[in-house]
């Protein structure tokens, strides 16, 4: 299956606006002038190219990172197109082409589980419009009314006469037609391709070695670059002595990269890396050299004081009055650390720069952001830049950033006309991540004399992602993303009604750069809230499930997934001897999720997870098989973070430099995940990230049930708790 862009760029006229200027999304589905792919095949519209051999090429703007977006979106287009699924392949259009065509492919950003849920409408319309144009072309050839024509699996039939013609034979004529303005989409109940458990389109090439990743790129005359950036965030490069290495094998050049990095360019990456390690480098660590995990924790702890200023994310009633009149209050403080994306393939990008053109080949979660970075870093106008999206070896949010691309362009500019592939070492990748933000949370609950929860204050102290990554997304100084899963309504709403509620954020931003780490803020917010819900239940002698249910009468979709896992795990029946259960629920990325688990504990510190049951309501299920695998994969991520995931700071820098100090769970540690998929319709939720957040609280609550010990900070390795 090919993913390289195939469009003939000469067919396009560059628009005047560049990325980021707020171009309205236009969907010019086709004609009247045909646009041709590189092989001479005309596109029916921007989404669909049908070759003479009946191959259907579906263009996908979002990035495939193993989550199945490519296949899911192709299913949605193919469903409306009514083509033969066995003939479907995909390709990535380029962001430069998209800008030139007034962003015809919409948003290239792939994160926040938005690949399907925020593009389903217009990609389906792209498929439907192409189908109507193909039928019209056939009807024109037969001089028959469109109303007499039907289509199925890429074949158009003139019903009265029985004549047939294939899509491939009318594709060129269809490409010249004016696209329809009124496109009706199918009712999901009538789907035959979408909604079905189909095999992924990218699996074969990933298993037979044909898939090309960013690290695999080879261009004629290409050189390789290795880089070192100041290990203390905010520090600078003071000096380096390249005289020690210029005579080493394969070394071509040593270059400064910005204010804080130095790179060695050589014939092979190993020669570049070896020379870089041998070269004397002096850093100016700057003012952050004294920062440590301990100093950060102390600063965050101060923010938990209710007297400290805070942004209010969710409020109801009067918490102060509720606490003043409470018969009983319960209090707990939780903490969540920095975590690294640790993608299997380190950051890399290949750049060919000349004064006339800057071209970038890279694995990215946001082709448009890379395009904008290339335009800015190269200093060239947007019509002289292009980005070719290559399959990335893991993303998880990290490849939504463009720092590594900017570095690659900066190096290539110093060697015009020579393709340069910049690849970070594993150590560089670990030391210069964009880390899951560090936070702490203080929760206080208030009960009346009848043990009803009448008040809840949840104070979050810690880092804002948007303040660093996308300050334009802030709302009057507040980071709304901090409150994922805790909002009054929306795509990440809290699932409980408490008459007096206050959820606020004391923003404290250490110098360690944060980023969107798969699942983002629901990961810690679910631990804080769902562990505390258990604490509240136990404090008044109530069953954790029943305690929650009383607070969820106005949250039927939250309650439905919670009830589903409770029923599957057998919550109301006794667990096997020595086995203990934990349960939790949350909402994130538009989907409702819940988990229940059964564990046993030996020696107070060895956990064996016997079962995990997870329920997800994503509204619609485009590929049930893929959702099932995404849920299981979410638990790999969530449990790895729970048991092992922590980045610590010493001397202003991250201490964990490789997988020997930053572990992931092994296959033998991974329990079987029983997924319950329960799409209720009427909305589109994500599936790649939501269930990560319920992995940890389900296990933590079960651990308390087993031992009576409440764990309020992760990872568990810090408590000497390990997998059995």
């Amino acid at each position: 299956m090919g993913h390289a862009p195939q469009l003939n760029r000469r067919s396009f006229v560059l628009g005047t606006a560049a990325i980021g200027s707020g171009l309205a999304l236009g969907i010019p589905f086709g004609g009247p002038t045909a646009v041709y792919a590189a092989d001479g095949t005309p596109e029916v519209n921007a989404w669909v190219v049908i070759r003479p051999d009946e191959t259907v090429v579906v263009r996908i703007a979002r990035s495939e990172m193993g989550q199945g977006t490519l296949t899911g979106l192709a299913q949605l287009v193919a469903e409306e197109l009514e083509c033969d699924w066995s003939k479907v392949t995909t390709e990535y259009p380029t962001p430069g082409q998209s800008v030139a065509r007034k962003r015809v492919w919409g948003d290239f950003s792939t994160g926040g589980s938005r690949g399907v849920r925020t593009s389903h409408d217009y990609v389906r319309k792209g498929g439907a419009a192409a189908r109507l144009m193909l039928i019209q072309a056939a009807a024109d050839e037969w001089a028959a009314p469109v109303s007499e024509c039907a289509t199925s699996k890429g074949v158009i039939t003139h019903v009265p006469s029985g004549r047939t013609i294939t899509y491939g034979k009318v594709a060129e004529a269809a490409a010249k037609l004016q696209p329809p303005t009124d496109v009706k989409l199918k009712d999901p109940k009538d789907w035959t391709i979408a909604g079905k458990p189909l095999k992924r389109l990218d699996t074969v090439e990933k298993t037979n070695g044909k898939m090309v990743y960013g690290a695999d790129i080879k261009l004629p005359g290409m050189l390789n670059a290795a880089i070192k950036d100041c290990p203390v965030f905010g520090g600078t490069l003071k000096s380096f002595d390249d005289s020690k290495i210029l005579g080493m094998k394969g070394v071509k050049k040593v270059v400064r990269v910005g204010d804080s990095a130095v790179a060695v360019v050589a014939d092979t990456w190993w020669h570049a890396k070896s020379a870089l390690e041998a070269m004397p480098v002096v850093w100016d660590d700057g003012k952050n050299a004294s920062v440590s995990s301990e100093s950060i924790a102390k600063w965050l702890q101060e923010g938990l004081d209710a007297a400290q200023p805070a942004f209010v994310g969710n409020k109801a009633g009067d918490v102060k009055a509720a606490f003043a009149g409470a018969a009983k209050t319960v209090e707990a403080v939780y903490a969540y650390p920095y975590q690294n994306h640790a993608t299997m393939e380190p950051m890399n990008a290949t750049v060919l720069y000349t004064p006339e053109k800057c071209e970038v080949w890279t694995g990215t979660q946001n082709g448009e952001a890379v395009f904008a970075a290339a335009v800015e870093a190269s200093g060239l106008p947007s019509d002289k830049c292009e980005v070719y999206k290559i399959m990335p070896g893991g993303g998880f949010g990290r490849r939504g950033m463009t720092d590594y691309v900017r570095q690659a362009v900066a190096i290539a500019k110093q060697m015009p006309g020579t393709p340069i592939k910049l690849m970070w070492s594993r150590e560089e990748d670990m030391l210069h991540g964009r880390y899951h933000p560090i936070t702490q949370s203080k929760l206080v609950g208030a009960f009346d004399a009848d043990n009803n929860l009448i008040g809840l204050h949840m104070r979050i102290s810690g880092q804002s992602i948007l303040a660093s990554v996308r300050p334009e997304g802030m709302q009057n100084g507040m980071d709304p993303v901090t409150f994922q899963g805790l909002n009054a309504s929306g795509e990440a709403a809290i699932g409980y009604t408490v008459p007096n509620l206050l959820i606020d954020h004391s923003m404290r931003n250490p110098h360690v750069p944060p980023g969107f780490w798969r699942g983002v803020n629901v990961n810690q917010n679910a631990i804080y809230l769902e562990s505390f819900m258990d604490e509240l239940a136990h404090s008044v002698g109530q069953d954790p499930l029943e305690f929650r249910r009383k607070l969820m009468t106005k949250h039927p979709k939250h309650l439905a997934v919670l009830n589903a896992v409770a029923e599957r795990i057998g919550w109301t029946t006794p667990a096997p001897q020595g086995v203990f259960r934990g349960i939790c629920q949350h909402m994130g990325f538009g989907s409702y999720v819940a988990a229940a688990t059964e564990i046993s504990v030996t020696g107070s510190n060895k956990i064996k997870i016997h079962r995990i049951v997870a329920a997800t309501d994503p509204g619609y299920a485009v590929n049930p098989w893929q959702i099932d695998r995404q849920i299981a994969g979410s638990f790999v991520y969530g449990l790895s973070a729970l048991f092992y995931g922590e980045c610590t700071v010493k001397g202003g820098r991250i201490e964990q430099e490789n997988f020997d100090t930053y572990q992931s769970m092994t296959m033998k540690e991974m329990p079987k995940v029983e997924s319950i998929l329960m799409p209720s319709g009427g909305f589109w939720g994500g599936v790649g990230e939501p269930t990560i957040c319920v992995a940890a609280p389900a296990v933590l609550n079960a651990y308390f049930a087993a031992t009576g010990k409440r764990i309020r900070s992760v990872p568990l390795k810090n408590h000497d708790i390990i997998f059995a």
Side-chain angles (χ1 to χ4, degrees), residues 231-282:
V232 177
F233 305 107
T236 57
L237 172 64
K238 195 170 185 179
S239 65
F240 58 88
D241 184 0
D242 58 4
S243 66
K244 305 287 186 184
I245 66 162
L246 285 175
M248 290 179 67
K249 185 176 182 180
V251 173
K252 305 295 183 183
K253 196 166 187 175
V254 180
V255 299
R256 270 187 180 265
V257 184
D259 296 327
S260 62
V262 59
V264 174
V265 180
D267 57 349
T268 69
W269 184 78
W270 188 252
H271 286 155
K273 178 180 182 291
S274 300
L276 182 60
E277 290 178 346
M279 184 173 68
V281 179
V282 180

Side-chain angles (χ1 to χ4, degrees), residues 72 89 161 164 216 296 315-316 339 343 387 420 434 451 485 509 512 536 538 588 607 616 621 639 652 683 709:
T89 186
S161 68
T164 63
D216 299 324
I296 293 172
K315 185 178 181 181
Q339 291 169 335
T343 61
V387 174
I420 304 292
R434 295 296 184 265
N451 287 336
N509 294 319
V512 177
L536 293 173
H538 288 295
I607 295 178
T616 298
L639 294 176
F683 65 97
K709 184 179 179 183

Side-chain angles (χ1 to χ4, degrees), residues 71 75 85 192-200 621-629 677:
T71 302
Q75 283 179 257
W85 177 253
T192 60
I193 297 174
K196 304 304 176 185
L198 303 180
K199 293 179 180 178
R200 282 175 49 162
V622 174
N623 189 320
W625 275 355
Q626 189 52 36
I627 295 173
D628 182 72
R629 289 158 192 162
L677 183 56

Side-chain angles (χ1 to χ4, degrees), residues 295-378:
S295 67
I296 293 172
K298 184 174 182 292
W299 188 32
L300 267 56
Q301 188 176 4
E302 293 167 359
L304 297 178
D305 186 337
Q308 291 289 314
F311 295 101
V312 175
N314 194 355
K315 185 178 181 181
D318 187 338
V319 162
K320 274 190 177 179
F323 286 171
K328 177 181 182 176
T329 60
V330 178
E331 181 179 307
V333 174
Y334 284 78
Y336 199 86
Y338 284 118
Q339 291 169 335
N340 201 318
H341 297 86
T343 61
M344 188 57 65
E345 179 193 36
M347 300 303 108
N348 66 84
T350 300
V351 177
L352 175 57
Y353 170 88
T354 69
E356 290 74 41
K357 188 77 178 176
C358 181
E359 295 177 286
V360 179
W361 292 259
T362 192
T364 174
Q365 292 181 234
N366 191 341
E368 288 182 315
V370 169
F371 181 77
V375 169
E376 185 177 332
S378 69

